[in-house]
Amino acid sequence: MSSVAVLTQESFAEHRSGLTQQQVKVAALNSEEENDPPTYKDAFPPLPEKAACLETAQEPAGAWSKIRPIKASIITQVFHVPLEERKYKDMNQFGEGEQAKICLDIMQKTGAHLELSLAKDQGLSIMVSGKLEAVMKARKEIVARLQTQASATVAIPKEHHRFVIGKNGEKLQDLELKTATKIQIPRPDDPSNQIKITGTKEGIEKARHEILLISAEQDKRAVERLDVDKVYHPFIAGPFNKLVSEIMQETGTRINIPPPSVNKTEIVFTGEKEQLAQAVARIKKIYEEKKKKTTTIAVEVKKSQHKYVIGPKGNSLQEILEKTGVSVEIPPTDSSSETVILRGEPEKLGQALTEVYAKANSFTVSSVSAPSWLHRFIIGKKGQNLAKITQQMPKVHIEFTEGEDKITLEGPTEDVNVAQEQIEVMVKDLIIRMDYVEINVDHKFHRHLIGKNGANINRIKDQYKVSVRIPPDNEKSNLIRIEGDPQGVHQAKKELLELASRMENERTKDLIIEQRFHRTIIGQKGERIREIRDKFPEVIINFPDPAHKSDIVQLRGPKNEVEKCTKYMQRMVADLIREESNTKIDLPAENSNSETIIITGKRANCEAARHRILSIQKELADITEVEVSIPSKLHNSLIGAKGRFIRSIMEECGGVHIHFPTEGSGSDTVTIRGPAQDVEKAKKQLLHLAEEKQTKSYTVDLRAKPEYHKFLIGKGGGNIRKVRDNTGARIIFPTSEDKDQELITIMGTEGAVKEAQKELEALIKNLDNVVEESMLVDPKHHRHFVIRRGQVLREIADEYGGVMVSFPRSGTQSDKVTLKGAKDCVEAAKKRILEIIEDLEAQVTIECTIPQKFHRSIMGPKGSRIQQITRDYGVQIKFPDREENPAPATEPAMQENGEETGEGKEAKETDPTSPKKCDIIIISGRREKCEAAKEALQALVPVTTEVEVPFDLHRYIIGQKGSGIRKMMDEFEVNIQVPAPELRSDVISITGLTTNLDRAKAGLLERVKELQAEQEDRALRSFKLTVTVDPKYHPKIIGRKGAVITQIRTEHEVNIQFPDKDDENQSQDQITITGYEKNTEAARDAIMKIVGELEQMVSEDVMLDHRVHARIIGARGKAIRKIMDEFKVDIRFPQSGASDPNCVTVTGLPDNVEEAIDHILNLEEEYLADVVDNEAMQVYMKPSAHEESKAPSKGFVVRDAPWAAGNNEKPSSEEDPSPEVRHQNVLMLTVKWRIAVN
């Protein structure tokens, strides 16, 4: 597909300029030449001949030939391992076995690619491809692992060893890579000079040769030491080390002069022997000459000025040496001497002395008084303020000393004076603008003031533009300093004190709630606890970890809120106990001083509920908090890895809370909170453990199978407590979070630990002694042990060290049961099985008749209620199968041949009063427990009560999509039945447990009261008031985008309705206001006030030239809106197509209208002058490009074109060629252009 280029004069000329001088003669086209068109050859020069092309083509070849080829980054090398040197010579396993594994390993390690092949002589050829470094590493690995190794030693002088090693061992590594050998050089303290080389014969020879070469090189070099007095070193080194560098360069010798700070006189020379001798001779000559010619003078210079004489990096001393040839000796900084010694030729000492005093006095020290708290502001953020001064005067050093009310300036006198003035101005300004205040807040609240990741304090800093300094924890200071703008400081102080007082008012309270209730209180996916937190947003509620088996729920927050939340949660717990015990529990009202709780229900249930509430009260009263002082250095060891040690104490002592201070705080106080007895126990253990750690703590680790741990601990921790009491050692078993589940740690004094270790090892040894025993169990009891996938057997195995209990297969009549495991475990398991059998034999089965329709309700969600009863009473409960389609009672018995069938007869004989099979629930267990469980089941049977609720409120009780009634049912755990709308009944039925019915009924009636109050309020809000207002004022009352009417509606809480313009039947001057009567009257007054103002308004027409309307209106009406707001008027411009386009209407109060008209007439006069000027200018302006394009174009014209060869007459440039010719011209131009480009 071809492309067409459109030529312009400029682009054409640009194209020609790209061609060579030989190909085209470039003619400059000026305005005069436009009438004389270029020739065809000038415009389209011919392409070069073939030969010329070849010549030019050769030129770049020479240039390219000069460029060096780029080496490939991937190289390939082939290594050959002869048969006699191969490590793996098994011919049958080529490409397999150890050799293949090694090759794969080398490829993975080095990143090189290996290919193996066998030569005819059974030698191994290995082709290695990859980057150079990878290939060299692979080669070394191949030699070391696939080739048999030889070794040899080479002896070179001990002092040459370091040259073989090279800097950081790089030379040695490089040598090992090149030769594929391992080179071992003796350590510096080893007197041996033998270097051992291990590798292939070829590699050893190469390495030996290289080492001997290095040694030979070093033999040619020599080292000489020359002792020169320290005071003459500066003369030998020369100013800025120029002299010694010159000697080093000329002789090729390395000369090491010790620096001034090192008290050594020895100068070391290293290099070729001849050149080294020359360097030594030159240095000696300088030394001898200076010893003869130089003399010294001593002068006193203030110690503070010594650094100015020395200069940065000693530059000033070097400058004096360079100018005068005199060395200046300054006493060390730790010396109190102020004597400076000048050493040099006598005639130059005077000049040097002048230089020394000039340097000493060129700098000055000054100070500015500034309160230390302002220093940060003077420095500025990231040193910005200070940088402005130091950039202008880089030689000035400004020093701020913490705690001092001054700033020290040091540098050239003039610069110091300027900097001092600038800083004094800054200080004066800051003292006027800035303020600071210090407040006292207990340091224990500081971290709360700071907030998580500094959120609180950063917000205060940003909001009030202040700086707040809170002391670190280790200072234990209560003083907080606030600095910044006086107003910001005051506001920040107020907020911080408010936060602190709120925290002081905070309290922590422990609430005892049985752990089994925790999940219920939290609710599914945390719904219920979220509701509580929403209700008490300032209270933090912490539930214990389920693994800790703790009943303590911690509440923290403002005192009053914590108290309210406590009462709310206590009511929740009472409801749960009420539900469980099937009783009614009435707590005293919030404002009541009564301490009486009333429990109503069956005697047994009431007693159980009373017992539970009293136990909670006792636990609550028993909660205590103690503080123990333990040195902070012991805290980490007491806590243990991942809290292992401290967790074992907390679990052992009934789940008490032990809180250690934050690391680095330096505090020794450890807090223990929980039931008094457990707290005391934990305190004793903690102090005992700390004492052991302080005196002589000894720790031993034992290992035992995890299944033995429960048996070692014993029931309720009996076994391990016995060991602990006997020995006094502490034994820690792994928790479920620990990685190593076999590790048991024993801690204490060495004697106690060893004794406990001995006892535990004996127990573990017994457990490892596996025996197999059998016992007899009646087959009728077998099912109890193996049902539910052998749950009972699993429990026995867990409790008794993983003992295996095997019952005979079902179908066999054997009564032999086999037990296999540790002897002690087997005995304990046998005892437990006999206890279970005794319980089973004492069991009875009773029936409890409850109509089938209530069974689902009794079971509860996911059978939770039944599970609770079986756990509480230790019984088994079996529900009957559901009767899918029970036959209706009225159905007659089936008949056959006019007689009743046997089934019918049987049905007739059945006692109608006897319970149905599907209603009978079977309870198995001990008789007394079965009876109690039966009572508990009967208490769960729901009952129904009816509540009178006016029919018109039913839909509000149901709520949107049933949300209202669903919420009540969930809250009170009942079923609420609302009658169908067509029945128009007022009776609502509530079905549920007796305990829940009263609450549900009270809740429903409370909701009815709320709805009735809402109805009354709705009636009051429905008051309507009508106002008559002329329709022409309606838009003004509504306002722009409804702003005015919206404000009236919001302010008076009413609804205002304007008449519909399209409704002809509706009165157009009536405005309806709906709301409370008082509010509607206030809204009416507001509207009438607006109308009153509007009636006072006048409208006047003013004639404005339509050409200036757009200027007066402005972009998007911005200018006209500004005028209307300024003069409080309304200005209307004529619409397009109006009869009089110049007529503009102004509406408003008479005075405002007049002022507005004057203003817009002034604007018209101003804008009209611009319009007239613009119109006059248009006459002289060039026509637009669009107008010019209408003129006929001549196109691009050339002379002596091939297509004009037939015409002898020269065409006139004025003549317009025919369309055919013009078309031909364009085609030819396009073709030529393409050729030139290609």
Side-chain angles (χ1 to χ4, degrees), residues 21-190:
Q21 292 285 333
Q22 291 79 8
Q23 290 169 328
V24 62
K25 290 176 183 177
V26 180
L29 297 175
N30 54 32
S31 58
E32 290 175 7
E33 288 176 327
E34 281 179 11
N35 297 328
D36 190 14
T39 64
Y40 179 81
K41 279 190 179 181
D42 287 343
F44 302 103
L47 291 170
E49 296 298 323
K50 194 173 183 181
C53 290
L54 288 170
E55 281 170 22
T56 53
Q58 286 169 2
E59 282 178 20
W64 280 105
S65 64
K66 290 175 189 173
I67 297 170
R68 291 174 68 187
I70 297 169
K71 289 183 181 178
S73 61
I74 303 294
I75 64 160
T76 302
Q77 287 190 11
V78 178
F79 305 115
H80 188 72
V81 182
L83 176 65
E84 61 274 12
E85 289 182 17
R86 280 179 60 192
K87 254 190 191 177
Y88 304 97
K89 298 178 183 175
D90 190 349
M91 306 305 169
N92 299 326
Q93 286 197 338
F94 181 71
E96 299 175 20
E98 194 62 32
Q99 187 172 271
K101 285 179 186 174
I102 288 168
C103 288
L104 281 170
D105 188 43
I106 292 169
M107 285 197 281
Q108 284 175 352
K109 271 187 184 176
T110 63
H113 178 70
L114 272 65
E115 286 184 21
L116 276 72
S117 60
L118 274 176
K120 285 182 181 178
D121 62 354
Q122 298 302 313
L124 188 67
S125 291
I126 304 163
M127 187 167 76
V128 186
S129 305
K131 292 190 176 177
L132 179 63
E133 191 183 350
V135 169
M136 296 310 286
K137 282 182 181 175
R139 179 191 173 200
K140 187 181 174 185
E141 289 281 331
I142 289 163
V143 167
R145 297 170 71 177
L146 295 179
Q147 205 165 351
T148 54
Q149 304 288 295
S151 65
T153 57
V154 58
I156 63 169
K158 184 81 177 174
E159 58 268 22
H160 294 175
H161 286 192
R162 64 192 180 92
F163 297 104
V164 176
I165 296 166
K167 193 177 181 181
N168 298 327
E170 286 173 6
K171 199 163 187 176
L172 181 63
Q173 287 172 11
D174 192 40
L175 188 59
E176 285 181 333
L177 269 177
K178 275 184 186 174
T179 59
T181 57
K182 175 72 181 167
I183 301 169
Q184 291 173 298
I185 295 173
R187 295 174 63 83
D189 52 1
D190 188 344

Side-chain angles (χ1 to χ4, degrees), residues 644-645 699-702 730-734 743-747:
R644 195 160 174 247
F645 297 160
T699 306
V700 162
D701 289 338
L702 279 180
R730 175 164 198 81
I731 301 153
I732 298 159
F733 284 84
L743 191 71
I744 301 168
T745 306
I746 310 169
M747 291 173 62

Side-chain angles (χ1 to χ4, degrees), residues 767-780:
L767 291 172
D768 285 335
N769 179 22
V770 177
V771 297
E772 188 173 320
E773 290 189 15
S774 60
M775 62 183 294
L776 300 177
V777 176
D778 195 320
K780 69 180 179 182

Side-chain angles (χ1 to χ4, degrees), residues 82 89 176 613 802 1167 1190 1238:
K89 298 178 183 175
E176 285 181 333
I613 289 167
Y1167 296 156
K1190 291 177 186 175
N1238 293 335

Side-chain angles (χ1 to χ4, degrees), residues 1008-1077:
V1008 169
K1009 278 182 189 174
E1010 285 175 14
L1011 291 169
Q1012 284 172 341
E1014 281 177 22
Q1015 266 188 338
E1016 287 172 17
D1017 187 57
R1018 212 177 292 119
L1020 289 170
R1021 274 200 317 241
S1022 301
F1023 180 78
K1024 285 190 178 180
L1025 187 67
T1026 306
V1027 185
T1028 304
V1029 177
D1030 193 322
K1032 69 180 180 182
Y1033 298 133
H1034 288 190
K1036 288 289 180 187
I1037 295 167
I1038 292 166
R1040 191 164 177 267
K1041 294 183 181 177
V1044 177
I1045 203 68
T1046 303
Q1047 190 180 346
I1048 294 170
R1049 281 176 181 148
T1050 310
E1051 196 176 322
H1052 301 289
E1053 295 178 355
V1054 292
N1055 181 30
I1056 302 170
Q1057 207 65 33
F1058 284 83
D1060 188 354
K1061 289 179 183 177
D1062 301 329
D1063 190 350
E1064 294 176 2
N1065 300 324
Q1066 195 176 355
S1067 178
Q1068 292 297 307
D1069 60 355
Q1070 299 292 316
I1071 298 173
T1072 307
I1073 308 169
T1074 310
Y1076 291 113
E1077 187 177 354

Side-chain angles (χ1 to χ4, degrees), residues 699-867:
T699 306
V700 162
D701 289 338
L702 279 180
R703 305 193 79 81
K705 292 177 184 176
E707 55 265 30
Y708 292 168
H709 290 189
K710 275 192 179 178
F711 189 77
L712 289 171
I713 293 164
K715 200 166 186 178
N719 294 353
I720 211 70
R721 201 179 296 116
K722 191 178 175 185
V723 174
R724 191 176 291 152
D725 293 343
N726 290 345
T727 63
R730 175 164 198 81
I731 301 153
I732 298 159
F733 284 84
T735 62
S736 55
E737 289 91 17
D738 291 333
K739 283 184 182 176
D740 193 343
Q741 288 293 305
E742 291 188 356
L743 191 71
I744 301 168
T745 306
I746 310 169
M747 291 173 62
T749 57
E750 190 173 352
V753 167
K754 285 187 175 175
E755 200 178 329
Q757 183 184 3
K758 193 177 175 184
E759 282 195 35
L760 281 174
E761 280 174 346
L763 282 169
I764 293 164
K765 193 177 179 183
N766 284 343
L767 291 172
D768 285 335
N769 179 22
V770 177
V771 297
E772 188 173 320
E773 290 189 15
S774 60
M775 62 183 294
L776 300 177
V777 176
D778 195 320
K780 69 180 179 182
H781 299 312
H782 288 192
R783 187 171 178 278
H784 175 79
F785 289 94
V786 296
I787 56 168
R788 294 194 299 279
R789 297 180 185 176
Q791 188 180 337
V792 176
L793 294 180
R794 277 203 306 276
E795 286 170 2
I796 291 169
D798 285 348
E799 198 170 336
Y800 301 104
V803 68
M804 288 174 63
V805 184
S806 301
F807 277 76
R809 288 188 179 182
S810 60
T812 60
Q813 289 304 308
S814 172
D815 58 358
K816 186 180 177 184
V817 175
T818 309
L819 294 92
K820 188 176 180 182
K823 191 173 182 183
D824 293 347
C825 295
V826 167
E827 288 301 323
K830 277 170 76 174
K831 190 179 176 184
R832 175 66 186 137
I833 289 169
L834 290 170
E835 284 174 8
I836 293 168
I837 291 167
E838 190 184 338
D839 273 354
L840 290 171
E841 285 175 347
Q843 277 189 355
V844 296
T845 301
I846 64 169
E847 292 180 352
C848 176
T849 305
I850 295 171
Q852 190 186 37
K853 64 181 179 180
F854 299 128
H855 288 188
R856 185 173 289 177
S857 171
I858 290 166
M859 286 180 185
K862 296 181 183 177
S864 58
R865 288 175 182 161
I866 289 301
Q867 287 165 14

Side-chain angles (χ1 to χ4, degrees), residues 510-514 551-553 573 615-616 619-620 623 675:
D510 289 333
L511 190 60
I512 302 292
I513 298 174
E514 287 180 67
D551 294 339
I552 300 170
V553 177
V573 173
S615 67
I616 290 170
E619 285 173 355
L620 274 170
I623 290 291

Side-chain angles (χ1 to χ4, degrees), residues 9 48 75 174 226 271 300 454 540-541 549 570 598 618 641 773 782 791 847 883 936 982 1042 1059 1078 1104 1108 1134 1201:
Q9 288 279 2
I75 64 160
D174 192 40
L226 181 65
E300 295 294 314
I540 296 164
I541 304 167
K549 308 287 182 193
Q570 281 172 343
I598 299 164
K618 187 182 176 186
E773 290 189 15
H782 288 192
Q791 188 180 337
E847 292 180 352
E883 193 177 54
E982 55 270 17
K1078 192 167 79 173
L1104 290 179
V1108 300

